[in-house]
Amino acid sequence: MQTDGRDHEALIADLVKRERISDETARLIFSPAFDEFRARLYEAADKVRLETVGDEVFIRGIIEFSNYCGCQCDYCGISSHNRELDRYRMDFDDILETASHAYGLGFRSLVLQSGEDRSYRASDICHIIEAIKGRLGMAVTLSIGEWPKADYAAFRAAGADRYLLRIETSSQALFERYHRDSKWYDRHKALMDLKELGYQVGSGILVGLPGQDGPGLLRDLEYLERLRPEMVGIGPFIPHPKTPLGNQPAGLIEHCLTFLALLRLYLPDSYLPATTAMGTLAPQGRQMALRAGANVIMPNVSPLSNRPGYQIYPDKIGQSDDAETCQRCIEDLVLALGRKPNLGFGHIKRKIY
Ligand code: 5AD
């Protein structure tokens, strides 16, 4: 593969062919020297997106049902480090009411997300899943962190379809620097468990964590290629003032879009969200993501009263938009790009293995 940085067209052609990327090339791709060629890379990824997953954009409603968290992640605004945060937790009835409201708006795919709130027992989570599946028949994605394999099995038996758990970084050293209370291998093992249990698995990374470099991002891409998750969600690191990484610079939107485009090229049939963090970092961030390989978007359908408490990073967009407004603005955003919004189950067409 071209590595001297002179013939960028040839380099992009190699990326489209999924040639192995060298560390030197990764350094180039994630350096300012590549900036004038990024648009070409995004365009190539957009073409592959059209050929593999088509023009639909899958819309999933997120319910952030608790911001209690037992973890101490150095970048995260709802980590238990943050003692100034008002904590909330929705009970069964609140969650079901929110899910029914989303159903009424046309959503058929829900993501239930929370901090690692250990006050819910596995049976409580199962009860919620069973009610949403049984009464509303919606597709259910969980995003509730690391649990024992037996609990993942119980959630799956209760009807959960998908599970989102980012590896955050494929580097054990970087992971354990920023998660002093947890181990990289446990995160990896949890992903293996989820795959084995037949979930559609979503993973992903943070782009721009202090200490990350081009070759590190290449290792992340290689890790994700091996894991072959059905979905990959990535976002820029955004410093939160109430966290140990509060004074560090944010990740760059162009590095996020570049990593997203590479994901589309190297995992061509995966589902890739245009994440809220990208929209927060850059005003057109989600639109840019949808034109650089993304095909999923996840508006917030949580009750408005929860929003201030779920600032994983500051200035998160959509704070004052209720579910209906979020839905409308997301559908308009998708239509304005000439794409087709799809509120359905959004199951990936690939065979799960
Ligand atoms: N900036 C961007 N993303 C963050 N996340 C947590 N904290 C931040 C931050 N400061 C992401 C993590 C986690 C997801 C739910 O939110 O990647 O997996």
Side-chain angles (χ1 to χ4, degrees):
M1 175 181 282
Q2 184 68 41
T3 54
D4 65 6
R6 267 179 278 133
D7 188 355
H8 292 83
E9 261 315 312
L11 167 57
I12 288 169
D14 282 349
L15 297 174
V16 171
K17 281 188 278 173
R18 283 191 258 165
E19 298 269 345
R20 220 186 64 76
I21 304 172
S22 69
D23 280 13
E24 202 184 334
T25 302
R27 241 180 241 112
L28 165 72
I29 293 175
F30 291 101
S31 77
F34 195 67
D35 281 353
E36 57 184 303
F37 304 98
R38 289 186 203 284
R40 276 287 303 116
L41 176 65
Y42 304 158
E43 204 184 298
D46 196 43
K47 184 161 174 276
V48 171
R49 185 270 310 152
L50 179 62
E51 290 160 2
T52 53
V53 293
D55 248 343
E56 279 174 321
V57 176
F58 295 97
I59 302 180
R60 322 196 189 288
I62 301 201
I63 304 180
E64 296 161 339
F65 66 92
S66 165
N67 71 350
Y68 279 87
C69 192
C71 293
Q72 296 208 329
C73 307
D74 280 358
Y75 45 80
C76 183
I78 68 165
S79 144
S80 53
H81 283 119
N82 188 354
R83 296 192 196 288
E84 289 164 47
L85 185 67
D86 283 332
R87 304 277 170 173
Y88 71 85
R89 163 180 302 134
M90 290 165 75
D91 64 15
F92 176 88
D93 291 335
D94 296 334
I95 297 173
L96 256 286
E97 193 185 312
T98 305
S100 306
H101 184 61
Y103 183 93
L105 293 172
F107 287 93
R108 294 296 177 269
S109 181
L110 274 187
V111 182
L112 300 176
Q113 190 177 80
S114 70
E116 290 200 12
D117 182 348
R118 285 153 197 159
S119 77
Y120 295 98
R121 289 160 304 171
S123 57
D124 299 324
I125 303 291
C126 287
H127 190 200
I128 297 164
I129 300 165
E130 277 157 10
I132 295 176
K133 299 295 291 186
R135 297 184 204 173
L136 304 170
M138 300 167 95
V140 172
T141 302
L142 299 176
S143 176
I144 58 176
E146 290 177 32
W147 291 69
K149 186 174 182 186
D151 294 339
Y152 285 154
F155 305 154
R156 182 89 185 104
D161 302 282
R162 296 189 268 258
Y163 206 104
L164 308 181
L165 184 66
R166 289 186 180 170
I167 189 75
E168 313 292 0
T169 168
S170 63
S171 155
Q172 181 184 351
L174 212 55
F175 186 98
E176 291 176 9
R177 186 185 311 163
Y178 298 133
H179 308 89
R180 271 165 277 179
D181 58 346
S182 58
K183 295 270 169 261
W184 182 87
Y185 186 76
D186 292 340
R187 179 64 59 100
H188 170 69
K189 168 75 170 50
L191 285 161
M192 293 297 152
D193 291 345
L194 291 163
K195 271 187 91 82
E196 208 180 298
L197 291 163
Y199 282 94
Q200 296 170 48
V201 174
S203 194
I205 62 153
L206 275 167
V207 174
L209 270 179
Q212 188 185 55
D213 58 9
L217 286 162
L218 175 60
R219 299 287 93 75
D220 293 339
L221 180 66
E222 291 164 347
Y223 174 85
L224 292 164
E225 264 188 282
R226 278 194 303 278
L227 181 69
R228 205 162 179 262
E230 280 66 41
M231 298 153 297
V232 187
I234 61 159
F237 157 69
I238 302 176
H240 188 297
K242 299 280 161 49
T243 62
L245 292 179
N247 294 323
Q248 297 295 320
L252 301 176
I253 187 72
E254 53 268 35
H255 287 181
C256 250
L257 294 167
T258 297
F259 196 84
L260 179 73
L262 291 173
L263 285 168
R264 176 53 73 207
L265 298 178
Y266 283 76
L267 287 98
D269 59 357
S270 55
Y271 278 20
L272 306 176
T275 54
T276 309
M278 293 198 222
T280 299
L281 193 65
Q284 295 284 311
R286 287 178 302 179
Q287 287 90 331
M288 293 193 275
L290 287 169
R291 301 180 67 186
N295 70 322
V296 174
I297 194 158
M298 306 196 288
N300 199 334
V301 296
S302 303
L304 277 182
S305 55
N306 291 355
R307 310 288 177 98
Y310 214 86
Q311 300 260 357
I312 292 175
Y313 43 82
D315 302 320
K316 196 168 146 208
I317 51 172
Q319 287 305 293
S320 51
D321 297 336
D322 61 16
E324 202 167 344
T325 314
C326 278
Q327 180 196 1
R328 216 174 324 107
C329 99
I330 292 295
E331 281 189 309
D332 288 349
L333 181 158
V334 171
L335 290 168
L337 295 172
R339 304 270 285 277
K340 301 185 192 103
N342 183 328
L343 286 164
F345 298 141
H347 292 310
I348 187 163
K349 291 174 189 92
R350 180 204 288 173
K351 189 169 164 286
I352 311 294
Y353 58 88

